[in-house]
Amino acid sequence: MRARTRQAILDAAITVLGQEPTVSLGAIAAAADVGRTTLHRYFPERSELLRAVNAEVTARLERAVGLARLDEGRGIDALRRLTREYFDLGDVLSLIFNQPHLTAEVGWADPGVCDPRFETMVRRGHEDGTLDPDLPPPWVHNLLWAQLYAAYGYLADSDTSRHTVLGLLVRTVTGAAGVKSARIEE
Amino acid sequence: MRARTRQAILDAAITVLGQEPTVSLGAIAAAADVGRTTLHRYFPERSELLRAVNAEVTARLERAVGLARLDEGRGIDALRRLTREYFDLGDVLSLIFNQPHLTAEVGWADPGVCDPRFETMVRRGHEDGTLDPDLPPPWVHNLLWAQLYAAYGYLADSDTSRHTVLGLLVRTVTGAAGVKSARIEE
DNA sequence: TCGGATTGGAACAGTAGAGCCCCATTTTCG
DNA sequence: CGAAAATGGGGCTCTACTGTTCCAATCCGA
């Protein structure tokens, strides 16, 4: 019924907008297997659809943060959990990267401010000696998102399994943000 | 004269297209301080402008690769040099990320294939013990581009100096792609 | 089964941009 | 200086998309 159709539109919008941010409403409707008229009935204006997409993405991100239990264990372990949860977001990653203005307050844009829970996690990692103390929390936030996007693209374009890509991702995020015990001299 | 105007248009196009991939030709002309008619005289169709931009970007990337001397020194040192050269590309980074299809053959898209010189460099790093042998060259390629873009965004949005951001970038890329001498256990 | 709810096809005007042409103005160079 | 080149403003058509309305067909629950 209503809720079902609405969700189908939102899912299709997330997928298609992530690939082509300026895609027409007709194309979104087609991707959702729905008539353009129906789409207009649920979201009279494009901006309203975008707001709804924003809300949906925000909710999914929030859920991922909750599942990652950022306040438990060592900083690096929490960061690894968050990496895995974010990686599972799929199409949402592409959307967040291609429409930073759409999901600005929640995503990776505006490095000066990042989620306080994330910041607390990184600072804990600084203190427990598992995260590189020279990297400010917003930088870690940025690098995590960058590598997530790289991993998602790698998954789409190369024929590597999801599991393998996740392994590579966690390994490089750990190397990038983790404390360097014996750094190779410049 | 001709060459001067043409270059002004290309420079403006690279900057503006990097921020808004669907920007109108009128806006590009305005950014180049040139009449819309003049732009149409140099590039009769939008696609021709895009091809010229592609050529320009390709040339700048090629120049950066040359300056980085990928075939000299240890793998990690060559990767660090390349990181610095790419970081200097400025607006081009934004364009490459926001228009992957435009610069597909030269950029970071299609992870299955990457520049043979880059691949050789990474493999040398595997053998000389400076780059993580568990990371395939295309993954390192993707990783580098993602971090470059994140660094560029960080530079634009936070009030951190260019030099500081470059330092964070090199440190992060080194940590992510470099060999892990004593990895923190999972 | 019946009736309201939902759907989607078709057509419409309004808008924005692309591509094109003309011509007056300005710049550049011999 | 004078001619050729270059510039840019204005206007025109064409196309694509948006937002809207109307209405027939279909789906679903009472």
Side-chain angles (χ1 to χ4, degrees), chain A residues 66-149:
Chain A
L67 288 173
R69 311 187 312 280
L70 296 190
D71 55 347
E72 293 184 19
R74 298 178 304 176
I76 184 95
D77 294 323
L79 179 61
R80 282 170 176 154
R81 284 195 299 270
L82 184 61
T83 302
R84 296 179 203 277
E85 293 300 333
Y86 273 168
F87 186 66
D88 278 341
L89 289 177
D91 290 337
V92 174
L93 295 177
S94 188
L95 179 66
I96 290 172
F97 254 83
N98 290 324
Q99 305 255 315
H101 57 285
L102 178 61
T103 55
E105 69 279 2
V106 69
W108 62 288
D110 196 7
V113 203
C114 67
D115 191 298
R117 290 165 295 180
F118 186 90
E119 184 161 346
T120 300
M121 171 193 74
V122 174
R123 297 205 184 285
R124 194 171 76 250
H126 289 168
E127 289 164 11
D128 65 23
T130 58
L131 291 181
D132 189 340
D134 288 342
L135 305 180
W139 177 267
V140 177
H141 198 226
N142 244 28
L143 89 80
L144 171 60
W145 277 105
Q147 295 201 21
L148 277 166
Y149 186 62

Side-chain angles (χ1 to χ4, degrees), chain B residues 8-37 39-40 46 49:
Chain B
I9 292 173
L10 283 182
D11 289 343
I14 287 174
T15 299
V16 179
L17 284 173
Q19 296 163 355
E20 175 58 55
T22 61
V23 79
S24 71
L25 294 182
I28 295 177
D33 262 316
V34 151
R36 197 171 62 93
T37 310
L39 190 151
H40 270 288
R46 187 187 181 89
L49 173 60

